PDB file of all heavy atoms in Angstrom:
ATOM      1  N   ALA A  12     -14.918 -11.919  51.551  1.00 93.00           N
ATOM      2  CA  ALA A  12     -14.867 -11.167  52.776  1.00 93.00           C
ATOM      3  C   ALA A  12     -14.985 -12.165  53.969  1.00 93.00           C
ATOM      4  O   ALA A  12     -14.331 -11.908  55.044  1.00 93.00           O
ATOM      5  CB  ALA A  12     -16.031 -10.182  52.811  1.00 93.00           C
ATOM      6  N   LEU A  13     -15.814 -13.155  53.837  1.00 95.00           N
ATOM      7  CA  LEU A  13     -16.036 -14.092  54.926  1.00 95.00           C
ATOM      8  C   LEU A  13     -14.704 -14.908  55.207  1.00 95.00           C
ATOM      9  O   LEU A  13     -14.397 -15.069  56.462  1.00 95.00           O
ATOM     10  CB  LEU A  13     -17.161 -15.106  54.605  1.00 95.00           C
ATOM     11  CG  LEU A  13     -17.413 -16.126  55.664  1.00 95.00           C
ATOM     12  CD1 LEU A  13     -17.733 -15.488  57.000  1.00 95.00           C
ATOM     13  CD2 LEU A  13     -18.590 -17.043  55.240  1.00 95.00           C
ATOM     14  N   VAL A  14     -14.029 -15.291  54.203  1.00 94.00           N
ATOM     15  CA  VAL A  14     -12.765 -16.042  54.432  1.00 94.00           C
ATOM     16  C   VAL A  14     -11.815 -15.101  55.104  1.00 94.00           C
ATOM     17  O   VAL A  14     -11.126 -15.493  56.078  1.00 94.00           O
ATOM     18  CB  VAL A  14     -12.202 -16.483  53.079  1.00 94.00           C
ATOM     19  CG1 VAL A  14     -10.742 -17.025  53.279  1.00 94.00           C
ATOM     20  CG2 VAL A  14     -13.048 -17.632  52.502  1.00 94.00           C
ATOM     21  N   CYS A  15     -11.662 -13.817  54.715  1.00 93.00           N
ATOM     22  CA  CYS A  15     -10.807 -12.872  55.454  1.00 93.00           C
ATOM     23  C   CYS A  15     -11.120 -12.709  56.900  1.00 93.00           C
ATOM     24  O   CYS A  15     -10.316 -12.628  57.724  1.00 93.00           O
ATOM     25  CB  CYS A  15     -10.788 -11.532  54.667  1.00 93.00           C
ATOM     26  SG  CYS A  15     -10.091 -11.497  53.089  1.00 93.00           S
ATOM     27  N   GLU A  16     -12.467 -12.587  57.084  1.00 94.00           N
ATOM     28  CA  GLU A  16     -12.935 -12.489  58.440  1.00 94.00           C
ATOM     29  C   GLU A  16     -12.568 -13.578  59.387  1.00 94.00           C
ATOM     30  O   GLU A  16     -12.169 -13.502  60.495  1.00 94.00           O
ATOM     31  CB  GLU A  16     -14.479 -12.199  58.500  1.00 94.00           C
ATOM     32  CG  GLU A  16     -15.079 -11.867  59.836  1.00 94.00           C
ATOM     33  CD  GLU A  16     -14.708 -10.584  60.319  1.00 94.00           C
ATOM     34  OE1 GLU A  16     -14.723  -9.585  59.508  1.00 94.00           O
ATOM     35  OE2 GLU A  16     -14.338 -10.400  61.518  1.00 94.00           O
ATOM     36  N   LEU A  17     -12.816 -14.798  58.857  1.00 94.00           N
ATOM     37  CA  LEU A  17     -12.625 -15.997  59.657  1.00 94.00           C
ATOM     38  C   LEU A  17     -11.087 -16.121  59.900  1.00 94.00           C
ATOM     39  O   LEU A  17     -10.788 -16.389  61.092  1.00 94.00           O
ATOM     40  CB  LEU A  17     -13.012 -17.286  58.820  1.00 94.00           C
ATOM     41  CG  LEU A  17     -14.582 -17.386  58.569  1.00 94.00           C
ATOM     42  CD1 LEU A  17     -14.925 -18.601  57.655  1.00 94.00           C
ATOM     43  CD2 LEU A  17     -15.353 -17.481  59.938  1.00 94.00           C
ATOM     44  N   ARG A  18     -10.252 -15.963  58.942  1.00 92.00           N
ATOM     45  CA  ARG A  18      -8.835 -16.169  59.134  1.00 92.00           C
ATOM     46  C   ARG A  18      -8.208 -15.084  60.013  1.00 92.00           C
ATOM     47  O   ARG A  18      -7.199 -15.326  60.543  1.00 92.00           O
ATOM     48  CB  ARG A  18      -8.151 -16.374  57.824  1.00 92.00           C
ATOM     49  CG  ARG A  18      -8.740 -17.514  57.019  1.00 92.00           C
ATOM     50  CD  ARG A  18      -7.812 -17.848  55.782  1.00 92.00           C
ATOM     51  NE  ARG A  18      -6.869 -18.844  56.100  1.00 92.00           N
ATOM     52  CZ  ARG A  18      -5.530 -18.614  56.158  1.00 92.00           C
ATOM     53  NH1 ARG A  18      -5.070 -17.496  55.847  1.00 92.00           N
ATOM     54  NH2 ARG A  18      -4.705 -19.577  56.520  1.00 92.00           N
ATOM     55  N   ALA A  19      -8.809 -13.898  60.000  1.00 91.00           N
ATOM     56  CA  ALA A  19      -8.267 -12.782  60.812  1.00 91.00           C
ATOM     57  C   ALA A  19      -8.465 -13.035  62.316  1.00 91.00           C
ATOM     58  O   ALA A  19      -7.636 -12.597  63.138  1.00 91.00           O
ATOM     59  CB  ALA A  19      -8.859 -11.482  60.403  1.00 91.00           C
ATOM     60  N   ASP A  20      -9.548 -13.663  62.754  1.00 85.00           N
ATOM     61  CA  ASP A  20      -9.825 -13.939  64.151  1.00 85.00           C
ATOM     62  C   ASP A  20      -9.594 -12.690  64.968  1.00 85.00           C
ATOM     63  O   ASP A  20      -8.794 -12.707  65.921  1.00 85.00           O
ATOM     64  CB  ASP A  20      -8.877 -15.063  64.488  1.00 85.00           C
ATOM     65  CG  ASP A  20      -9.188 -15.626  66.002  1.00 85.00           C
ATOM     66  OD1 ASP A  20     -10.425 -15.538  66.385  1.00 85.00           O
ATOM     67  OD2 ASP A  20      -8.220 -16.005  66.745  1.00 85.00           O
ATOM     68  N   THR A  21     -10.338 -11.689  64.643  1.00 88.00           N
ATOM     69  CA  THR A  21     -10.230 -10.412  65.448  1.00 88.00           C
ATOM     70  C   THR A  21     -10.782 -10.407  66.804  1.00 88.00           C
ATOM     71  O   THR A  21     -10.454  -9.596  67.702  1.00 88.00           O
ATOM     72  CB  THR A  21     -10.839  -9.297  64.606  1.00 88.00           C
ATOM     73  OG1 THR A  21     -12.290  -9.547  64.626  1.00 88.00           O
ATOM     74  CG2 THR A  21     -10.303  -9.157  63.209  1.00 88.00           C
ATOM     75  N   GLY A  22     -11.819 -11.294  67.094  1.00 82.00           N
ATOM     76  CA  GLY A  22     -12.472 -11.259  68.411  1.00 82.00           C
ATOM     77  C   GLY A  22     -13.696 -10.367  68.418  1.00 82.00           C
ATOM     78  O   GLY A  22     -14.435 -10.302  69.422  1.00 82.00           O
ATOM     79  N   ASP A  23     -14.061  -9.647  67.329  1.00 88.00           N
ATOM     80  CA  ASP A  23     -15.245  -8.834  67.297  1.00 88.00           C
ATOM     81  C   ASP A  23     -16.442  -9.695  67.383  1.00 88.00           C
ATOM     82  O   ASP A  23     -16.561 -10.758  66.714  1.00 88.00           O
ATOM     83  CB  ASP A  23     -15.296  -8.009  66.021  1.00 88.00           C
ATOM     84  CG  ASP A  23     -14.311  -6.814  66.072  1.00 88.00           C
ATOM     85  OD1 ASP A  23     -14.206  -6.192  67.147  1.00 88.00           O
ATOM     86  OD2 ASP A  23     -13.730  -6.454  65.066  1.00 88.00           O
ATOM     87  N   ASP A  24     -17.481  -9.276  68.185  1.00 87.00           N
ATOM     88  CA  ASP A  24     -18.653 -10.054  68.315  1.00 87.00           C
ATOM     89  C   ASP A  24     -19.667  -9.950  67.079  1.00 87.00           C
ATOM     90  O   ASP A  24     -20.262 -10.861  66.789  1.00 87.00           O
ATOM     91  CB  ASP A  24     -19.407  -9.620  69.623  1.00 87.00           C
ATOM     92  CG  ASP A  24     -18.514  -9.946  70.898  1.00 87.00           C
ATOM     93  OD1 ASP A  24     -17.762 -11.006  70.804  1.00 87.00           O
ATOM     94  OD2 ASP A  24     -18.558  -9.236  71.820  1.00 87.00           O
ATOM     95  N   GLU A  25     -19.810  -8.755  66.589  1.00 89.00           N
ATOM     96  CA  GLU A  25     -20.671  -8.484  65.554  1.00 89.00           C
ATOM     97  C   GLU A  25     -20.040  -7.631  64.442  1.00 89.00           C
ATOM     98  O   GLU A  25     -19.473  -6.573  64.720  1.00 89.00           O
ATOM     99  CB  GLU A  25     -21.946  -7.714  66.053  1.00 89.00           C
ATOM    100  CG  GLU A  25     -22.711  -8.501  67.123  1.00 89.00           C
ATOM    101  CD  GLU A  25     -23.979  -7.747  67.568  1.00 89.00           C
ATOM    102  OE1 GLU A  25     -24.788  -7.399  66.689  1.00 89.00           O
ATOM    103  OE2 GLU A  25     -24.057  -7.349  68.739  1.00 89.00           O
ATOM    104  N   VAL A  26     -20.057  -8.251  63.240  1.00 92.00           N
ATOM    105  CA  VAL A  26     -19.494  -7.571  62.063  1.00 92.00           C
ATOM    106  C   VAL A  26     -20.421  -7.543  60.905  1.00 92.00           C
ATOM    107  O   VAL A  26     -21.214  -8.531  60.713  1.00 92.00           O
ATOM    108  CB  VAL A  26     -18.223  -8.323  61.757  1.00 92.00           C
ATOM    109  CG1 VAL A  26     -17.627  -7.872  60.423  1.00 92.00           C
ATOM    110  CG2 VAL A  26     -17.127  -8.274  62.853  1.00 92.00           C
ATOM    111  N   ALA A  27     -20.386  -6.504  60.120  1.00 90.00           N
ATOM    112  CA  ALA A  27     -21.257  -6.417  58.882  1.00 90.00           C
ATOM    113  C   ALA A  27     -20.329  -5.990  57.807  1.00 90.00           C
ATOM    114  O   ALA A  27     -19.678  -4.903  57.957  1.00 90.00           O
ATOM    115  CB  ALA A  27     -22.429  -5.475  59.091  1.00 90.00           C
ATOM    116  N   TRP A  28     -20.397  -6.703  56.734  1.00 93.00           N
ATOM    117  CA  TRP A  28     -19.588  -6.267  55.507  1.00 93.00           C
ATOM    118  C   TRP A  28     -20.540  -5.738  54.498  1.00 93.00           C
ATOM    119  O   TRP A  28     -21.495  -6.329  54.211  1.00 93.00           O
ATOM    120  CB  TRP A  28     -18.851  -7.484  54.898  1.00 93.00           C
ATOM    121  CG  TRP A  28     -17.565  -7.939  55.654  1.00 93.00           C
ATOM    122  CD1 TRP A  28     -17.518  -8.661  56.786  1.00 93.00           C
ATOM    123  CD2 TRP A  28     -16.299  -7.631  55.273  1.00 93.00           C
ATOM    124  NE1 TRP A  28     -16.283  -8.840  57.104  1.00 93.00           N
ATOM    125  CE2 TRP A  28     -15.424  -8.210  56.214  1.00 93.00           C
ATOM    126  CE3 TRP A  28     -15.729  -6.854  54.311  1.00 93.00           C
ATOM    127  CZ2 TRP A  28     -14.037  -8.105  56.202  1.00 93.00           C
ATOM    128  CZ3 TRP A  28     -14.277  -6.761  54.217  1.00 93.00           C
ATOM    129  CH2 TRP A  28     -13.516  -7.359  55.170  1.00 93.00           C
ATOM    130  N   ARG A  29     -20.225  -4.562  53.994  1.00 90.00           N
ATOM    131  CA  ARG A  29     -21.032  -3.845  53.013  1.00 90.00           C
ATOM    132  C   ARG A  29     -20.204  -3.323  51.873  1.00 90.00           C
ATOM    133  O   ARG A  29     -19.300  -2.569  52.168  1.00 90.00           O
ATOM    134  CB  ARG A  29     -21.762  -2.681  53.655  1.00 90.00           C
ATOM    135  CG  ARG A  29     -22.907  -3.163  54.618  1.00 90.00           C
ATOM    136  CD  ARG A  29     -23.932  -3.941  53.925  1.00 90.00           C
ATOM    137  NE  ARG A  29     -25.004  -4.382  54.847  1.00 90.00           N
ATOM    138  CZ  ARG A  29     -24.998  -5.530  55.511  1.00 90.00           C
ATOM    139  NH1 ARG A  29     -23.981  -6.393  55.316  1.00 90.00           N
ATOM    140  NH2 ARG A  29     -25.969  -5.923  56.267  1.00 90.00           N
ATOM    141  N   ARG A  30     -20.387  -3.942  50.647  1.00 89.00           N
ATOM    142  CA  ARG A  30     -19.564  -3.464  49.479  1.00 89.00           C
ATOM    143  C   ARG A  30     -18.043  -3.586  49.795  1.00 89.00           C
ATOM    144  O   ARG A  30     -17.299  -2.692  49.613  1.00 89.00           O
ATOM    145  CB  ARG A  30     -19.997  -2.170  48.997  1.00 89.00           C
ATOM    146  CG  ARG A  30     -21.387  -2.095  48.586  1.00 89.00           C
ATOM    147  CD  ARG A  30     -21.797  -0.716  47.917  1.00 89.00           C
ATOM    148  NE  ARG A  30     -23.200  -0.696  47.522  1.00 89.00           N
ATOM    149  CZ  ARG A  30     -23.681  -1.131  46.393  1.00 89.00           C
ATOM    150  NH1 ARG A  30     -22.696  -1.627  45.502  1.00 89.00           N
ATOM    151  NH2 ARG A  30     -24.959  -1.105  46.050  1.00 89.00           N
ATOM    152  N   ASP A  31     -17.691  -4.652  50.361  1.00 90.00           N
ATOM    153  CA  ASP A  31     -16.233  -4.927  50.702  1.00 90.00           C
ATOM    154  C   ASP A  31     -15.670  -4.007  51.789  1.00 90.00           C
ATOM    155  O   ASP A  31     -14.486  -3.938  51.930  1.00 90.00           O
ATOM    156  CB  ASP A  31     -15.410  -4.982  49.526  1.00 90.00           C
ATOM    157  CG  ASP A  31     -15.692  -6.077  48.543  1.00 90.00           C
ATOM    158  OD1 ASP A  31     -15.976  -7.194  49.093  1.00 90.00           O
ATOM    159  OD2 ASP A  31     -15.599  -5.890  47.345  1.00 90.00           O
ATOM    160  N   VAL A  32     -16.621  -3.317  52.549  1.00 93.00           N
ATOM    161  CA  VAL A  32     -16.146  -2.482  53.679  1.00 93.00           C
ATOM    162  C   VAL A  32     -16.561  -3.048  54.918  1.00 93.00           C
ATOM    163  O   VAL A  32     -17.773  -3.480  55.071  1.00 93.00           O
ATOM    164  CB  VAL A  32     -16.727  -1.037  53.472  1.00 93.00           C
ATOM    165  CG1 VAL A  32     -16.329  -0.184  54.718  1.00 93.00           C
ATOM    166  CG2 VAL A  32     -16.191  -0.362  52.215  1.00 93.00           C
ATOM    167  N   ARG A  33     -15.745  -3.210  55.902  1.00 95.00           N
ATOM    168  CA  ARG A  33     -16.043  -3.954  57.094  1.00 95.00           C
ATOM    169  C   ARG A  33     -16.460  -2.951  58.155  1.00 95.00           C
ATOM    170  O   ARG A  33     -15.818  -1.965  58.373  1.00 95.00           O
ATOM    171  CB  ARG A  33     -14.772  -4.713  57.581  1.00 95.00           C
ATOM    172  CG  ARG A  33     -14.986  -5.515  58.851  1.00 95.00           C
ATOM    173  CD  ARG A  33     -13.675  -6.186  59.245  1.00 95.00           C
ATOM    174  NE  ARG A  33     -13.819  -7.100  60.304  1.00 95.00           N
ATOM    175  CZ  ARG A  33     -13.641  -6.725  61.528  1.00 95.00           C
ATOM    176  NH1 ARG A  33     -13.336  -5.508  61.891  1.00 95.00           N
ATOM    177  NH2 ARG A  33     -13.738  -7.700  62.588  1.00 95.00           N
ATOM    178  N   HIS A  34     -17.634  -3.296  58.797  1.00 93.00           N
ATOM    179  CA  HIS A  34     -18.155  -2.509  59.968  1.00 93.00           C
ATOM    180  C   HIS A  34     -18.285  -3.350  61.079  1.00 93.00           C
ATOM    181  O   HIS A  34     -18.687  -4.552  61.026  1.00 93.00           O
ATOM    182  CB  HIS A  34     -19.480  -1.868  59.568  1.00 93.00           C
ATOM    183  CG  HIS A  34     -19.486  -1.002  58.355  1.00 93.00           C
ATOM    184  ND1 HIS A  34     -19.457   0.330  58.431  1.00 93.00           N
ATOM    185  CD2 HIS A  34     -19.604  -1.387  57.084  1.00 93.00           C
ATOM    186  CE1 HIS A  34     -19.597   0.790  57.204  1.00 93.00           C
ATOM    187  NE2 HIS A  34     -19.578  -0.255  56.330  1.00 93.00           N
ATOM    188  N   ALA A  35     -17.986  -2.838  62.314  1.00 92.00           N
ATOM    189  CA  ALA A  35     -18.037  -3.609  63.549  1.00 92.00           C
ATOM    190  C   ALA A  35     -18.950  -2.990  64.452  1.00 92.00           C
ATOM    191  O   ALA A  35     -18.839  -1.661  64.577  1.00 92.00           O
ATOM    192  CB  ALA A  35     -16.687  -3.943  64.088  1.00 92.00           C
ATOM    193  N   ALA A  36     -19.712  -3.684  65.219  1.00 87.00           N
ATOM    194  CA  ALA A  36     -20.622  -3.059  66.220  1.00 87.00           C
ATOM    195  C   ALA A  36     -19.836  -2.574  67.460  1.00 87.00           C
ATOM    196  O   ALA A  36     -19.006  -3.216  67.993  1.00 87.00           O
ATOM    197  CB  ALA A  36     -21.672  -4.102  66.664  1.00 87.00           C
ATOM    198  N   ARG A  37     -20.223  -1.349  67.816  1.00 87.00           N
ATOM    199  CA  ARG A  37     -19.594  -0.732  68.914  1.00 87.00           C
ATOM    200  C   ARG A  37     -20.614   0.051  69.776  1.00 87.00           C
ATOM    201  O   ARG A  37     -21.610   0.578  69.255  1.00 87.00           O
ATOM    202  CB  ARG A  37     -18.510   0.319  68.464  1.00 87.00           C
ATOM    203  CG  ARG A  37     -17.357  -0.228  67.722  1.00 87.00           C
ATOM    204  CD  ARG A  37     -16.461  -1.013  68.685  1.00 87.00           C
ATOM    205  NE  ARG A  37     -15.245  -1.428  68.023  1.00 87.00           N
ATOM    206  CZ  ARG A  37     -14.999  -2.584  67.443  1.00 87.00           C
ATOM    207  NH1 ARG A  37     -16.056  -3.487  67.394  1.00 87.00           N
ATOM    208  NH2 ARG A  37     -13.825  -2.968  66.899  1.00 87.00           N
ATOM    209  N   LEU A  38     -20.499   0.056  71.121  1.00 81.00           N
ATOM    210  CA  LEU A  38     -21.396   0.822  71.925  1.00 81.00           C
ATOM    211  C   LEU A  38     -20.893   2.232  72.083  1.00 81.00           C
ATOM    212  O   LEU A  38     -19.699   2.442  72.364  1.00 81.00           O
ATOM    213  CB  LEU A  38     -21.513   0.175  73.289  1.00 81.00           C
ATOM    214  CG  LEU A  38     -22.384  -1.134  73.384  1.00 81.00           C
ATOM    215  CD1 LEU A  38     -22.234  -1.656  74.845  1.00 81.00           C
ATOM    216  CD2 LEU A  38     -23.741  -0.895  73.027  1.00 81.00           C
ATOM    217  N   ALA A  39     -21.832   3.160  71.834  1.00 82.00           N
ATOM    218  CA  ALA A  39     -21.518   4.548  71.983  1.00 82.00           C
ATOM    219  C   ALA A  39     -22.513   5.283  72.832  1.00 82.00           C
ATOM    220  O   ALA A  39     -23.801   4.885  72.744  1.00 82.00           O
ATOM    221  CB  ALA A  39     -21.431   5.176  70.574  1.00 82.00           C
ATOM    222  N   TRP A  40     -22.069   6.163  73.628  1.00 78.00           N
ATOM    223  CA  TRP A  40     -22.979   6.950  74.472  1.00 78.00           C
ATOM    224  C   TRP A  40     -23.815   8.004  73.639  1.00 78.00           C
ATOM    225  O   TRP A  40     -23.209   8.708  72.900  1.00 78.00           O
ATOM    226  CB  TRP A  40     -22.284   7.637  75.626  1.00 78.00           C
ATOM    227  CG  TRP A  40     -23.155   8.447  76.464  1.00 78.00           C
ATOM    228  CD1 TRP A  40     -23.292   9.813  76.534  1.00 78.00           C
ATOM    229  CD2 TRP A  40     -23.972   7.966  77.478  1.00 78.00           C
ATOM    230  NE1 TRP A  40     -24.161  10.177  77.492  1.00 78.00           N
ATOM    231  CE2 TRP A  40     -24.707   9.033  78.094  1.00 78.00           C
ATOM    232  CE3 TRP A  40     -24.290   6.586  77.934  1.00 78.00           C
ATOM    233  CZ2 TRP A  40     -25.569   8.849  79.168  1.00 78.00           C
ATOM    234  CZ3 TRP A  40     -25.217   6.535  78.937  1.00 78.00           C
ATOM    235  CH2 TRP A  40     -25.862   7.617  79.620  1.00 78.00           C
ATOM    236  N   SER A  41     -25.126   7.914  73.833  1.00 72.00           N
ATOM    237  CA  SER A  41     -25.922   8.888  73.034  1.00 72.00           C
ATOM    238  C   SER A  41     -26.661   9.776  74.073  1.00 72.00           C
ATOM    239  O   SER A  41     -27.483   9.285  74.834  1.00 72.00           O
ATOM    240  CB  SER A  41     -26.966   8.150  72.187  1.00 72.00           C
ATOM    241  OG  SER A  41     -27.837   9.066  71.636  1.00 72.00           O
ATOM    242  N   PRO A  42     -26.298  11.049  74.216  1.00 74.00           N
ATOM    243  CA  PRO A  42     -26.865  11.928  75.195  1.00 74.00           C
ATOM    244  C   PRO A  42     -28.336  12.265  74.876  1.00 74.00           C
ATOM    245  O   PRO A  42     -28.667  12.216  73.704  1.00 74.00           O
ATOM    246  CB  PRO A  42     -26.019  13.155  75.167  1.00 74.00           C
ATOM    247  CG  PRO A  42     -25.467  13.117  73.783  1.00 74.00           C
ATOM    248  CD  PRO A  42     -25.151  11.726  73.429  1.00 74.00           C
ATOM    249  N   GLY A  43     -29.103  12.403  75.796  1.00 63.00           N
ATOM    250  CA  GLY A  43     -30.529  12.706  75.577  1.00 63.00           C
ATOM    251  C   GLY A  43     -30.921  13.833  76.608  1.00 63.00           C
ATOM    252  O   GLY A  43     -30.301  14.145  77.524  1.00 63.00           O
ATOM    253  N   GLU A  44     -32.107  14.285  76.289  1.00 56.00           N
ATOM    254  CA  GLU A  44     -32.674  15.414  77.129  1.00 56.00           C
ATOM    255  C   GLU A  44     -33.435  14.864  78.276  1.00 56.00           C
ATOM    256  O   GLU A  44     -34.195  13.841  78.140  1.00 56.00           O
ATOM    257  CB  GLU A  44     -33.541  16.324  76.285  1.00 56.00           C
ATOM    258  CG  GLU A  44     -32.784  17.161  75.265  1.00 56.00           C
ATOM    259  CD  GLU A  44     -31.704  17.960  75.860  1.00 56.00           C
ATOM    260  OE1 GLU A  44     -31.979  18.538  76.962  1.00 56.00           O
ATOM    261  OE2 GLU A  44     -30.709  18.215  75.181  1.00 56.00           O
ATOM    262  N   PRO A  45     -33.438  15.379  79.519  1.00 49.00           N
ATOM    263  CA  PRO A  45     -34.204  14.959  80.604  1.00 49.00           C
ATOM    264  C   PRO A  45     -35.675  15.008  80.284  1.00 49.00           C
ATOM    265  O   PRO A  45     -36.117  16.012  79.562  1.00 49.00           O
ATOM    266  CB  PRO A  45     -33.837  15.917  81.806  1.00 49.00           C
ATOM    267  CG  PRO A  45     -32.536  16.474  81.277  1.00 49.00           C
ATOM    268  CD  PRO A  45     -32.531  16.578  79.860  1.00 49.00           C
ATOM    269  N   ARG A  46     -36.379  13.987  80.651  1.00 48.00           N
ATOM    270  CA  ARG A  46     -37.877  14.010  80.362  1.00 48.00           C
ATOM    271  C   ARG A  46     -38.619  14.040  81.666  1.00 48.00           C
ATOM    272  O   ARG A  46     -38.307  13.452  82.617  1.00 48.00           O
ATOM    273  CB  ARG A  46     -38.180  12.683  79.627  1.00 48.00           C
ATOM    274  CG  ARG A  46     -37.690  12.640  78.123  1.00 48.00           C
ATOM    275  CD  ARG A  46     -38.120  11.373  77.528  1.00 48.00           C
ATOM    276  NE  ARG A  46     -37.535  10.103  78.197  1.00 48.00           N
ATOM    277  CZ  ARG A  46     -37.752   8.902  77.787  1.00 48.00           C
ATOM    278  NH1 ARG A  46     -38.650   8.688  76.897  1.00 48.00           N
ATOM    279  NH2 ARG A  46     -37.126   7.917  78.325  1.00 48.00           N
ATOM    280  N   THR A  47     -39.674  14.897  81.645  1.00 45.00           N
ATOM    281  CA  THR A  47     -40.600  15.081  82.805  1.00 45.00           C
ATOM    282  C   THR A  47     -41.537  13.858  82.895  1.00 45.00           C
ATOM    283  O   THR A  47     -42.114  13.555  81.879  1.00 45.00           O
ATOM    284  CB  THR A  47     -41.362  16.371  82.679  1.00 45.00           C
ATOM    285  OG1 THR A  47     -40.459  17.485  82.588  1.00 45.00           O
ATOM    286  CG2 THR A  47     -42.184  16.578  83.976  1.00 45.00           C
TER     287      THR A  47
END
C-alpha cells in the first residue's frame, strides 16, 4: 500500500490505510446545538 501511495503522488496531506482500503482526512462541518 505504501508503494502505491508514494508513486500515486495524490497530494493528500493525511492518509490511513486499513485492510488495503485507503482513507483520506477531510474536513466536514458538524452542526451543533447553541449552548447557553
Side-chain angles (χ1 to χ4, degrees):
L13 180 56
V14 170
C15 292
E16 186 68 43
L17 295 176
R18 302 193 88 244
D20 188 32
T21 63
D23 283 324
D24 295 329
E25 295 181 61
V26 172
W28 283 82
R29 293 296 180 268
R30 298 184 180 276
D31 290 326
V32 177
R33 183 179 185 270
H34 303 261
R37 297 287 188 264
L38 284 179
W40 179 256
S41 176
E44 295 298 326
R46 289 182 292 176
T47 304

